[in-house]
Amino acid sequence: MCGIIGCVGREDETLDVLVHGLSKLEYRGYDSAGVALSGDRVDVCKKSGKIADLRGALESREIGGAAGIGHTRWSTHGPPTDANAHPHLDCTGDVAVVHNGIIENYQSLRDELVSAGHSFQSDTDTEVVPHLIEDALADGADHEAAVREAIAQLEGSYAVAVVLSGDDTIYAARNDSPLVLGLGEDAYYLASDVPAFRDHTDQVIYLADGEFATLHADGWHVSDVDGDEVEKTVDTVEWDPEETGKSGYDHFMLKEIHEQPRAIRQCLRGRVDELTGSVDIGDLGDLSPTGVQFVACGTSYHAALYGAQLLRDAGIPAQTFLASEYATAPPPIGDALVVGVTQSGETADTLSALREARKRGARTMTVTNTVGSTAARECDHALYIRAGPEIGVAASKTFASQLTALNLFSLGTTRTSDSREIIGALRDLPSNIQAILDESNAEAVAETYVDSGAYFFIGRGLQYPVALEGALKMKEITYKHAEGFAAGELKHGPLALVTDDTPVFAVVTGDGEMARKTIGNVKEVEARDAPVVAVTDGQSDVERYADAVLEVPETHPQAAAMLANVQLQLVSYHVADKLGRSIDKPRNLAKSVTVE
Ligand code: F6R
């Protein structure tokens, strides 16, 4: 998704700060990038392609100024060309604008502007903004009033930042798209996401919808739509800048897979008491919902499936909905809670489902990684997963932390007789995951099956979401066909796809009825000559039917799913690596999907 960075107050370094900030936003996914700096005039440089292409274009340019804005674009209106890259200018070249989100009424605004004589250079919705500002300036408005007037005409979602020639101020506004200010010692920053300026400051202010900010070398100011001052809280970011580096790993994703033991420890810290078998999740423990509806997308949806299963096992009716389909869901019953699982806290589909739930009168909660995110601010309650920043576009450690947090939620809101065993298993998760990371043969399995035509993943109960997640990871980062199925469903259709060129990854832990039934499905696969890769703790005899085995330590069933997932993450990573894929930034994907 698009990213925004802005900086004012470091005249000699503004450009470097912007380009460095853009490189920190690369993880969100993008296809073009650009910067604008304001001095006596506004200088713009923008390029389709990577930040390296922008750096190349900047080498031949003399460009500087006290206030600057930069942008990474992920195309929504028009292809990734230089012309469609942000910043966009008005007809005079005095106003430069970057924008995240979608302006829904852009076509009518554009038609009016074109009939009034404005000339457009791009296919984007964003370009209406500088032209609207130009019109307001021509009518005599001062800079701030002109930007406000333009913003007031926009419908849809936006985080907008503007610089104007002869003015070392950044003007910014947000609606439904994140924007955060950074307060440095000698400079001020703004960005769509903290990593963009975290190297310069840990003091941040999260803007809310409808707020308008001005940043100047001498200070900052936040006001509401009417121009009245808004008192803002300054928050301190708790993670280190190094957490956003690769620390010697070839890819962020591999680093983040290896960070899972630490992420889980952070999630558990201060929240569990193994002796008493109790969990302390603060006020969330008193929610006592009569039922829970989960809404989420992608990997977070798989975490939600797992969470709903935990609650059902503990006697609470729980359902899971794809956030984008929530409009068709039955209304929450009684004192139900609607829980949005979203690591970013900014996913448009999930935010929209949570808003729909509030309209239907439900209490809402988010399970999120991002303090200050829209989901955290809009929901009645928030459970933080504390995974630290995740840069790889494909979610890895945040999934592990979501499952951990959902275990805490289930234990904290229900009475489960084996809570002490579960807490013990959660406590052992970091060392069990570490053992897998140290000893996994996933790379050898990847080597064996790297040229396969497709990959299938099967599991039952809590292993079903893990099978779905295994397939999602495989397709996202390898670009190969992969599907996850409930093990019992295979024979109802998908079995027709199974051949000797389609390895089937079967997640089988424990030796109970579920395991026995999945082994029955494994035999069906084996009989069709498909290679079987068993992900198992060795308690059953699934290994007899497997061509390869990925071992996980024996533990409580709720934790076993999380261990199996690590092996599947590693297989996908190594297949993608052998295929030379862009693992941290897979094609067409974005880290935070802020459009519906
Ligand atoms: C997959 C992935 C996506 C996200 C989905 C929801 O690896 O990262 O499927 O899980 O876009 O994102 P959040 O959790 O930020 O709401």
Side-chain angles (χ1 to χ4, degrees):
M1 283 286 115
C2 305
I4 289 176
I5 171 76
C7 169
V8 56
R10 294 174 63 172
E11 180 139 14
D12 300 341
E13 302 162 46
T14 312
L15 181 59
D16 289 344
V17 171
L18 294 182
V19 176
H20 179 68
L22 292 179
S23 70
K24 292 282 180 181
L25 290 171
E26 281 188 284
Y27 76 93
R28 293 168 66 100
Y30 72 107
D31 45 44
S32 48
V35 291
L37 283 96
S38 74
D40 294 340
R41 57 176 202 276
V42 170
D43 282 325
V44 171
C45 184
K46 52 191 196 169
K47 277 309 272 178
S48 62
K50 296 289 174 201
I51 306 289
D53 300 307
L54 176 66
R55 284 188 208 274
L58 283 165
E59 272 168 23
S60 57
R61 297 282 304 273
E62 284 270 325
I63 162 166
I69 52 178
H71 190 265
T72 48
R73 172 172 187 257
W74 186 77
S75 304
T76 53
H77 294 73
T81 59
D82 290 356
N84 285 336
H86 299 211
H88 290 287
L89 291 168
D90 68 327
C91 298
T92 66
D94 287 326
V95 183
V97 174
V98 293
H99 159 236
N100 286 358
I102 290 186
I103 299 169
E104 283 161 12
N105 59 336
Y106 91 97
Q107 194 59 57
S108 58
L109 291 171
R110 185 172 170 134
D111 292 346
E112 281 169 32
L113 287 160
V114 169
S115 357
H118 288 265
S119 137
F120 278 72
Q121 310 301 322
S122 77
D123 309 316
T124 65
D125 52 343
T126 305
E127 200 184 342
V128 297
V129 185
H131 292 282
L132 290 171
I133 296 173
E134 180 189 355
D135 267 2
L137 290 170
D139 289 345
D142 65 22
H143 285 179
E144 178 170 336
V147 178
R148 281 182 179 279
E149 222 171 278
I151 300 286
Q153 296 176 66
L154 307 181
E155 288 166 19
S157 61
Y158 52 80
V160 169
V162 183
V163 290
L164 299 104
S165 63
D167 183 355
D168 47 3
T169 307
I170 301 175
Y171 302 91
R174 72 156 274 178
N175 186 50
D176 270 358
S177 189
L179 211 47
V180 54
L181 310 186
L183 313 183
E185 282 181 8
D186 51 3
Y188 298 107
Y189 307 87
L190 104 146
S192 46
D193 209 356
V194 175
F197 59 65
R198 178 64 189 86
D199 285 332
H200 310 295
T201 183
D202 63 357
Q203 299 297 294
V204 301
I205 293 174
Y206 296 99
L207 292 188
D209 282 347
E211 289 181 346
F212 187 95
T214 51
L215 296 181
H216 187 267
D218 299 334
W220 55 273
H221 186 255
V222 177
S223 49
D224 62 17
V225 252
D226 301 320
D228 295 326
E229 178 161 358
V230 179
E231 292 235 348
K232 299 297 290 181
T233 317
V234 179
D235 286 308
T236 302
V237 176
E238 282 173 9
W239 41 270
D240 287 340
E242 291 90 80
E243 284 194 59
T244 60
K246 277 196 215 155
S247 310
Y249 287 96
D250 288 344
H251 297 95
F252 282 113
M253 185 180 177
L254 188 60
K255 175 185 169 228
E256 286 155 2
I257 289 172
H258 281 259
E259 280 174 349
Q260 291 179 113
R262 187 171 70 177
I264 289 170
R265 266 188 219 106
Q266 279 169 193
C267 185
L268 295 175
R269 188 160 298 137
R271 289 169 162 173
V272 291
D273 182 338
E274 217 183 310
L275 277 182
T276 58
S278 64
V279 160
D280 181 1
I281 47 170
D283 298 347
L284 302 178
D286 303 326
L287 289 176
S288 317
T290 50
V292 173
Q293 288 187 333
F294 284 95
V295 291
C297 311
T299 292
S300 295
Y301 174 72
H302 301 152
L305 286 172
Y306 171 96
Q309 180 67 52
L310 295 187
L311 290 179
R312 283 197 296 272
D313 289 348
I316 296 193
Q319 301 159 290
T320 312
F321 299 95
L322 286 166
S324 55
E325 292 290 323
Y326 187 64
T328 62
I333 298 165
D335 205 14
L337 183 70
V338 176
V339 177
V341 183
T342 165
Q343 75 81 20
S344 64
E346 301 294 350
T347 299
D349 287 325
T350 308
L351 293 176
S352 156
L354 286 166
R355 286 171 192 151
E356 178 63 29
R358 267 192 301 284
K359 264 197 238 153
R360 296 173 178 186
R363 297 177 293 165
T364 54
M365 180 180 114
T366 182
V367 177
T368 185
N369 197 26
T370 317
V371 177
S373 61
T374 306
R377 283 183 293 101
E378 290 189 359
C379 284
D380 303 313
H381 308 279
L383 174 59
Y384 293 106
I385 65 170
R386 303 179 183 164
E390 185 175 72
I391 308 295
V393 164
S396 55
K397 67 173 176 174
T398 52
F399 181 65
S401 300
Q402 284 171 339
L403 300 193
T404 307
L406 288 165
N407 268 290
L408 293 178
F409 183 64
S410 165
L411 289 165
T413 48
T414 63
R415 298 279 157 270
T416 320
S417 55
D418 57 350
S419 59
R420 227 172 268 180
E421 287 77 13
I422 299 170
I423 290 174
L426 293 177
R427 181 214 53 201
D428 292 343
L429 262 176
S431 57
N432 280 336
I433 291 180
Q434 194 57 55
I436 294 172
L437 294 171
D438 293 343
E439 290 158 26
S440 175
N441 56 331
E443 185 171 2
V445 171
E447 179 70 49
T448 308
Y449 298 114
V450 64
D451 295 322
S452 299
Y455 304 86
F456 301 123
F457 297 77
I458 59 172
R460 253 166 217 270
L462 289 172
Q463 308 294 12
Y464 170 49
V466 171
L468 294 179
E469 176 60 9
L472 181 62
K473 272 317 69 110
M474 186 65 94
K475 61 183 107 169
E476 275 182 298
I477 61 171
T478 69
Y479 313 157
K480 304 252 272 182
H481 182 215
E483 289 303 327
F485 301 107
E489 268 300 289
L490 207 60
K491 58 186 176 296
H492 296 292
L495 202 55
L497 296 172
V498 164
T499 69
D500 59 3
D501 192 29
T502 62
V504 177
F505 291 78
V507 186
V508 185
T509 54
D511 61 353
E513 201 187 342
M514 292 257 194
R516 280 197 295 282
K517 285 188 174 174
T518 305
I519 292 170
N521 306 126
V522 165
K523 289 182 193 161
E524 291 154 15
V525 163
E526 199 211 7
R528 272 86 188 168
D529 292 331
V532 172
V533 181
V535 187
T536 180
D537 53 9
Q539 291 193 65
S540 68
D541 66 349
V542 68
E543 297 185 17
R544 282 178 50 191
Y545 311 100
D547 298 87
V549 173
L550 293 162
E551 274 179 48
V552 296
E554 221 179 293
T555 182
H556 190 279
Q558 286 179 211
M562 300 162 80
L563 299 182
N565 182 61
V566 177
Q567 289 284 29
L568 296 183
Q569 287 172 337
L570 289 170
V571 174
S572 292
Y573 171 81
H574 287 297
V575 172
D577 194 34
K578 288 175 196 307
L579 292 170
R581 301 296 192 232
S582 168
I583 293 179
D584 287 331
K585 286 171 237 143
R587 70 181 179 204
N588 306 337
L589 299 183
K591 183 69 186 161
S592 173
V593 186
T594 50
V595 291
E596 280 185 63

